[in-house]
């Protein structure tokens, strides 16, 4: 067994440093050869490849939340469907980078579909003429198959999704992410950095235990320096279908998403209620917008989507950005 | 910051070394632990942490000594749920001393939340760093003599899960509790978690369906917000026992602030009954 000096951690220059493998402390390190060879410092060509591939995509949005089960996938599907139905000339695509728990094939109603390979790359699955989806769910032979992968493999998959899918010309590419601030998020943001990320939409639920994790996600966005378009609060109230009384199931003891947004100085885009009909539509993969067009949830959604469109337009014309 | 740096480099550099040596440490550190339970779910936000903390509290109320290890590094919820947010972990010559949730020191808790200076700070770590931290949690925490160690996990089937599974292979891991919510979207992901357990040889105690129905406080009508029956259907499909059905109860959500057991504060509620039964089943199956 290797004998490791106890103080190695404090003096290791790190793999990205120009001293990697060359510092005196590296002498006993089993990774010295790798660090010294300079491999770890070479620029990654993938970022350029992705930049070229996504040059025809106007807006690249990320849907993030530190917390799981808050409705990232549901809201991603709602926003994409709403954008696609608002104007047939707008092309929208969703990329599901939740590798271990892909939900988009179900909520967009294309479960069991297959991805086809063509000369120009993987063809995404089309839900509407102007709405397409790519997810690892399409690549699994069986719905019960588990993707038991560590980080590097997940990163490789995301790299492939970003560089090898033939999206065509797009107005919006929306990335649906898993919860957390780890491999998937770092990979997506670093690969997209050269191509330019329009912004991030943060999803939360009102209760404090979710807000705690969402605060971390906002901290992440600031650390990696990507703009936040705003925060959407999901499951804010529940209207009993029997007596029409509204109840706070996940009580906002600390003021919910709105107060957090103010405190952290990000825009609050709106609140969506907890709607059992919406949950049902997602499970069945139906389009909520056409199934229950009279639902008040849709009105709220449309205001939120309009705000997102406005923010994207604003970011495209940098002179109008307010620097706050 | 110092702390993060220390962990990062130690892990990067010792990658190869640790793999061989870890089992020895693990054996020593978990020697006093009688039973290890994993709480898993492929899906996020289904109530893994709530179930873990309430189960830990319920076991404690039943007179056991319990340890609760939170390996969700990017979104630790256990410190908040047990109202231990400002507490610190202390270092001793034997290792990290966990935080005790009660005066009698019958519930010991370890989470990355205790190691962060600011609750807004994000842990932006890739897999290898997370793996290193999880290993440290498994090898460097002085649990002493506890009856149950409950491990609360993040959603997914990735680094944290693989690491926990690999390291527990040589220790007695009693099995996993799988948490789901009833809707199909959640069941899809939980099905993958069941596959993970089967592939890696983790015994599954059973499935708990959380957020099963909501009883309207004004008209008492029960609405299945997230549809119904998903957990039972799943348990039949994969041939795993169905343990319990936990309804949505905003009162339980509010307990988070106090860190109290539902058995003490709301002894007559449906949720309390569920946990009482769960403790009974778990402890019985152990003795048998």
């Amino acid at each position: 067994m290797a004998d490791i000096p106890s103080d190695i951690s404090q003096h290791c220059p790190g793999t990205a440093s120009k001293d990697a493998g060359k510092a005196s402390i590296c002498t006993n390190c089993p990774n010295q050869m790798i660090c010294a060879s300079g491999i770890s410092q070479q620029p990654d060509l993938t970022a350029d490849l992705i930049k070229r591939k996504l040059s025809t995509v106007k807006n690249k949005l990320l849907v993030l939340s530190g917390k799981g089960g808050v409705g990232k996938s549901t809201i991603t599907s709602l926003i994409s469907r709403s954008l696609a139905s608002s104007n047939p000339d707008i092309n929208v695509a969703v990329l599901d980078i939740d590798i271990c728990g892909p939900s988009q094939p179900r909520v967009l109603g294309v479960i069991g579909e297959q991805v086809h390979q063509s000369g120009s790359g993987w063809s995404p699955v089309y839900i509407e003429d102007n709405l397409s989806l790519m997810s690892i769910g399409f690549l699994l032979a069986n719905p019960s198959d588990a993707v038991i992968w560590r980080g590097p493999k997940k990163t490789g998959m995301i790299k492939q999704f970003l560089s090898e899918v033939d999206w065509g010309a797009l107005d919006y590419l929306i990335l649906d992410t898993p919860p957390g601030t780890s491999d998937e998020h770092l990979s997506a943001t670093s690969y997209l950095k050269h191509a330019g990320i329009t912004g991030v939409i943060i999803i939360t639920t009102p209760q404090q235990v979710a807000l705690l994790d969402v605060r971390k996600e906002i901290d992440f966005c600031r650390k990696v320096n990507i703009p936040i378009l705003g925060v959407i609060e999901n499951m804010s109230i529940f209207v009993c279908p029997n007596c029409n009384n509204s109840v706070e199931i996940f009580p906002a003891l600390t003021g919910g998403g709105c107060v957090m947004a103010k405190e952290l100085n990000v825009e609050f885009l709106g609140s969506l209620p907890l709607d059992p009909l919406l949950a049902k539509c997602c499970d069945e993969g139906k389009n909520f917008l056409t199934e229950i067009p009279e639902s008040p949830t849709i009105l709220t959604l449309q205001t939120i989507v309009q705000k997102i469109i406005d923010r994207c337009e604003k970011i495209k014309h940098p002179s109008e950005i307010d620097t706050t | 910051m110092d702390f993060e740096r220390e962990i990062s480099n130690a892990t990067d550099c010792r990658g190869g070394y640790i793999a061989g040596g870890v089992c020895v440490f693990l054996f020593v550190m978990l020697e006093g632990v009688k039973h290890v339970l994993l709480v898993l779910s492929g899906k996020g936000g289904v109530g893994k942490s709530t179930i873990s903390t309430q189960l830990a509290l319920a076991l404690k109320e039943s007179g056991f000594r319990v340890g609760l290890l939170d390996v969700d590094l990017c979104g630790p919820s256990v410190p908040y749920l047990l109202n231990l947010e400002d507490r610190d972990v202390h270092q001793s010559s034997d290792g990290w001393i966990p935080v005790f949730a009660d005066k009698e020191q019958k519930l010991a808790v370890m989470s990355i939340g205790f190691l962060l200076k600011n609750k807004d700070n994000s842990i932006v770590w890739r897999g290898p760093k997370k793996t290193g931290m999880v290993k440290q949690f498994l090898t460097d925490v002085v649990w002493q003599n506890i009856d149950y160690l409950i491990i609360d996990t993040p959603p997914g089937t990735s680094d944290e899960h693989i690491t926990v599974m690999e390291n527990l292979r040589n220790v007695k891991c009693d099995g996993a509790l799988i948490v789901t919510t009833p809707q199909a979207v959640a069941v899809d992901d939980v099905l993958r978690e069941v596959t993970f357990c089967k592939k890696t040889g983790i015994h599954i105690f059973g499935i708990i369906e959380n957020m099963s129905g909501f009883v309207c406080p004004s008209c008492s009508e029960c609405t299945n917000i997230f549809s119904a029956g998903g957990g039972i259907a799943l348990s039949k499909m994969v041939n795993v026992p169905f343990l319990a059905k936990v309804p949505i109860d905003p009162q339980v959500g509010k307990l988070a602030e106090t860190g109290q057991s539902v058995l003490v504060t709301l002894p007559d509620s449906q949720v309390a009954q569920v946990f009482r039964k769960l403790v009974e089943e778990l402890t019985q199956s152990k003795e048998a």
Side-chain angles (χ1 to χ4, degrees):
Chain A
M1 210 159 297
D3 191 13
I4 304 296
S6 57
D7 61 343
I8 190 158
S9 51
Q10 270 136 45
H11 302 287
C12 173
T15 51
S17 158
K18 65 178 183 346
D19 293 328
K22 293 168 193 152
S24 58
I25 197 69
C26 299
T27 332
N28 290 329
C29 179
N31 288 335
Q32 189 208 358
M33 295 295 278
I34 303 169
C35 286
S37 70
I39 281 180
S40 60
Q41 293 159 57
Q42 272 170 13
D44 193 351
L45 296 175
T46 328
D48 283 332
L49 179 68
I50 290 170
K51 187 182 177 182
R52 254 179 289 138
K53 191 84 190 177
L54 297 183
S55 58
T56 50
V57 178
K58 284 189 194 137
N59 294 294
K60 299 163 204 83
L61 301 177
L62 256 82
V63 177
L64 292 178
S65 169
K67 185 79 189 152
V70 295
K72 284 178 296 301
S73 299
T74 305
I75 292 183
T76 305
S77 73
L78 284 175
I79 292 176
S80 59
R81 277 191 151 138
S82 175
L83 280 169
S85 66
S86 68
N87 182 348
D89 295 331
I90 288 183
N91 286 311
V92 186
V94 176
L95 173 59
D96 184 3
I97 60 165
D98 189 343
I99 307 291
C100 294
S103 306
Q104 285 300 343
R106 181 177 285 275
V107 294
L108 286 173
V110 283
I111 207 161
E113 294 277 338
Q114 294 275 314
V115 166
H116 297 283
Q117 186 95 38
S118 75
S120 46
W122 279 336
S123 303
V125 170
Y126 282 84
I127 298 116
E128 312 276 347
D129 287 341
N130 60 344
L131 175 60
S132 56
L133 167 67
M134 186 68 206
S135 165
I136 196 169
F138 299 135
L139 307 175
L140 302 174
N142 197 317
S144 66
D145 280 356
V147 181
I148 309 171
W149 288 359
R150 288 189 181 270
K153 246 180 131 172
K154 294 196 283 192
T155 300
M157 191 77 236
I158 292 169
K159 194 199 285 187
Q160 267 196 300
F161 278 157
L162 287 170
S163 58
E164 287 175 26
V165 176
D166 180 25
W167 297 109
L170 287 179
D171 295 276
Y172 291 93
L173 174 65
I174 308 176
L175 270 73
D176 182 21
T177 63
T181 49
S182 191
D183 292 281
E184 294 91 335
H185 313 81
L186 276 169
S187 305
T189 50
S190 60
Y191 285 142
L192 282 176
K193 209 143 211 191
H194 288 274
I197 300 170
T198 316
V200 165
I201 300 163
I202 307 257
I203 316 288
T204 186
T205 51
Q207 76 276 41
Q208 178 66 5
V209 71
L211 290 171
L212 280 175
D213 291 350
V214 174
R215 282 164 175 275
K216 291 182 202 295
E217 199 73 36
I218 293 176
D219 182 55
F220 165 79
C221 292
R222 297 201 162 139
K223 272 184 186 163
V224 298
N225 205 9
I226 42 176
I228 298 170
L229 293 186
V231 175
I232 299 175
E233 182 182 85
N234 192 19
M235 312 192 192
S236 45
I237 50 156
F238 170 68
V239 181
C240 174
N242 190 41
C243 65
N244 280 326
N245 237 325
S246 58
V247 195
E248 281 192 341
I249 292 187
F250 301 112
L253 298 169
T254 50
C258 187
V259 168
M260 181 203 67
K262 229 177 237 159
E263 196 188 308
L264 296 176
N265 202 12
V266 288
E267 190 176 340
F268 185 68
L269 295 170
S271 319
L272 287 169
L274 183 52
D275 189 335
L277 295 173
L278 173 57
K280 198 163 167 259
C281 277
C282 282
D283 269 1
E284 292 166 1
K286 289 182 180 152
N287 186 352
F288 184 65
L289 303 170
T290 52
E291 285 292 309
I292 307 147
E294 70 281 5
S295 163
T297 312
I298 289 179
L299 270 179
T300 328
L301 174 73
Q302 274 158 354
T303 352
I304 293 173
V305 170
Q306 193 51 50
K307 278 187 190 168
I308 293 170
I309 297 174
D310 292 347
R311 294 279 293 187
C312 289
E313 291 299 316
K314 230 180 184 181
I315 285 173
K316 260 192 274 171
H317 307 286
S319 55
E320 289 163 43
I321 297 179
D322 48 352
T323 46
T324 48
Chain B
M1 271 303 145
D2 270 340
F3 143 76
E4 284 186 23
R5 186 165 169 74
E6 192 174 315
I7 288 164
S8 76
N9 296 334
T11 321
D12 290 347
C13 301
R14 295 195 303 184
Y17 148 77
I18 241 176
V22 74
C23 302
V24 185
F25 294 120
L26 195 64
F27 184 70
V28 175
M29 294 314 267
L30 293 180
E31 210 174 30
V33 179
K34 291 204 188 97
H35 302 289
V36 181
L37 291 175
L38 286 169
V39 178
L40 296 174
S41 169
K43 184 84 187 148
V46 295
K48 283 179 297 301
S49 298
T50 306
I51 302 264
S52 303
T53 50
Q54 282 302 330
L55 182 63
L57 288 164
L59 283 166
K60 188 201 82 172
E61 291 304 323
S62 316
F64 294 102
R65 294 174 64 96
V66 188
L68 179 53
L69 172 62
D70 181 7
V71 298
D72 188 345
L73 305 178
C74 294
S77 305
V78 168
Y80 169 77
L81 290 172
L82 286 172
N83 194 23
L84 300 170
E85 275 192 294
D86 302 319
R87 301 280 289 274
D88 284 320
V89 164
H90 296 285
Q91 187 93 44
S92 78
S93 53
D94 295 333
W96 277 332
I97 308 286
V99 169
F100 289 99
D102 56 337
K103 280 198 197 91
E104 297 84 43
Q105 304 208 332
K106 284 175 77 179
L107 176 55
V109 186
M110 187 68 205
S111 165
I112 198 163
F114 299 133
L115 306 173
L116 299 176
K117 288 195 186 83
N118 184 328
K119 66 174 177 183
D120 290 356
N121 276 2
S122 56
I123 296 272
V124 188
W125 287 356
R126 288 190 182 267
K129 247 169 127 172
K130 293 198 285 189
T131 302
M133 189 77 228
V134 171
K135 274 179 182 161
Q136 268 201 299
F137 277 157
L138 288 169
T139 53
D140 293 358
V141 179
V142 191
W143 293 109
Q144 285 160 340
N145 290 318
I146 52 174
D147 298 302
Y148 290 93
L149 176 65
I150 298 171
I151 303 181
D152 182 24
T153 60
T157 48
S158 193
D159 295 282
E160 293 92 334
H161 310 81
I162 302 173
T163 310
V164 167
M165 175 273 298
E166 280 178 352
N167 286 306
L168 288 183
R169 204 172 259 168
N170 300 301
V171 209
K172 62 260 143 170
C173 172
D174 289 76
L177 292 167
I178 307 250
V179 185
T180 185
T181 52
Q183 74 273 46
V185 174
V187 171
D188 282 351
D189 288 351
V190 176
L191 182 57
R192 294 184 239 273
E193 198 74 33
V194 172
T195 310
F196 169 80
C197 290
K198 292 195 165 162
K199 270 194 179 168
T200 55
I202 298 173
H203 168 71
I204 303 174
F205 275 123
I207 292 169
I208 300 175
E209 184 181 281
N210 193 18
M211 310 196 193
S212 268
F214 177 68
V215 180
C216 174
S218 56
C219 69
S220 298
E221 169 88 5
C222 180
T223 313
N224 290 314
I225 302 182
F226 300 112
S227 87
I232 297 179
L234 175 67
S235 80
K236 278 193 190 132
M237 195 201 314
V238 295
N239 202 12
V240 162
F242 184 75
L243 287 179
K245 206 168 154 178
V246 186
I248 298 180
D249 189 340
Q251 295 295 327
V252 178
K254 281 180 190 156
L255 277 183
E257 277 187 306
T258 62
Q260 275 175 336
S261 167
V262 67
L263 296 186
V264 177
T265 38
L266 305 159
D268 300 324
S269 66
Q270 218 185 323
V271 180
Q273 284 168 24
V274 168
F275 275 99
R276 224 170 275 137
K277 205 179 123 232
L278 201 56
V279 167
E280 228 167 74
E281 274 182 31
L282 283 176
T283 47
Q284 266 172 8
S285 70
K286 292 299 153 45
E287 280 152 18

